[in-house]
C-alpha cells in the first residue's frame, strides 16, 4: 500500500512522478532540484545556494508526513560538477543533519540546468 505525499511548500513535479510516497513506515522522496515552490524558477547561482533550496524542498516533503531530517536514513545526491562542487555542497548538506548522518551516495551526473539534485528515504518510528 502506498500513499502519495504532496505539499505546496516543496517544488512541484515537472514530470510523471510524485513528490513523495509513504510505504509502510518509510517515506521515499523524488529527486528534488533547487526550484522555488511558488515560482517554479531555479534558485541560486552556485551549488551552496542550490543545495539550501533543495534541502528546504525536501524538508517540506518530510514535514508533510510529520518527519524531519533526523528521520532520513538514506540519500542519493547528483552533482553536475562532482569534483568542483563536492566540498561546498557537503558543508551545506551536513548542516541539516545531526550524527549519525544518513547513509549517502554522491555521484556526478549530467543535470538539466541545475547543479544538484537529492532524494531521501526516511523512516518513521512508531
Amino acid at each position: 500500500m502506498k500513499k502519495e505525499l504532496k505539499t505546496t511548500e516543496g517544488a512541484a513535479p515537472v514530470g510523471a512522478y510524485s513528490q513523495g510516497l509513504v510505504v509502510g513506515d518509510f517515506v521515499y522522496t523524488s529527486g528534488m532540484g533547487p526550484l522555488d515552490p511558488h515560482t517554479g524558477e531555479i534558485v541560486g547561482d552556485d551549488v551552496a545556494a542550490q543545495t539550501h533550496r533543495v534541502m528546504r524542498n525536501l524538508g517540506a516533503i518530510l514535514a508533510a508526513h510529520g518527519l524531519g531530517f533526523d528521520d532520513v536514513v538514506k540519500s542519493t545526491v547528483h552533482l553536475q560538477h562532482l569534483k568542483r562542487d563536492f566540498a561546498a555542497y557537503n558543508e551545506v548538506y551536513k548542516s541539516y543533519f545531526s550524527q549519525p548522518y544518513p547513509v549517502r551516495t554522491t555521484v556526478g551526473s549530467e543535470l538539466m540546468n541545475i547543479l544538484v539534485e537529492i532524494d531521501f528515504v526516511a523512516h518513521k518510528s512508531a
Side-chain angles (χ1 to χ4, degrees):
M1 195 80 176
K2 60 185 176 181
K3 174 187 165 195
E4 183 177 19
L5 289 178
K6 291 183 182 180
T7 179
T8 58
E9 296 305 310
V14 294
Y17 59 90
S18 300
Q19 286 177 318
L21 292 175
V22 179
V23 181
D25 292 338
F26 288 91
V27 170
Y28 300 85
T29 73
S30 289
M32 286 286 125
L35 301 179
D36 181 287
H38 305 292
T39 67
E41 299 295 319
I42 295 171
V43 174
D45 294 329
D46 62 31
V47 76
Q50 288 194 11
T51 301
H52 277 296
R53 179 71 259 170
V54 169
M55 297 299 279
R56 287 192 292 274
N57 286 342
L58 288 165
I61 295 166
L62 294 173
H65 193 59
L67 298 174
F69 291 104
D70 286 340
D71 298 303
V72 176
V73 296
K74 167 89 172 93
S75 67
T76 304
V77 180
H78 296 265
L79 294 175
Q80 178 77 270
H81 306 286
L82 182 61
K83 289 180 183 179
R84 182 190 80 185
D85 289 345
F86 182 85
Y89 128 79
N90 192 55
E91 281 300 309
V92 173
Y93 176 92
K94 76 178 183 182
S95 73
Y96 286 84
F97 295 103
S98 56
Q99 292 186 8
Y101 298 119
V103 298
R104 176 178 78 184
T105 301
T106 305
V107 297
S109 294
E110 186 172 332
L111 300 172
M112 292 180 54
N113 302 318
I114 61 174
L115 300 174
V116 59
E117 181 176 333
I118 302 172
D119 68 75
F120 287 159
V121 177
H123 183 257
K124 184 167 188 163
S125 302

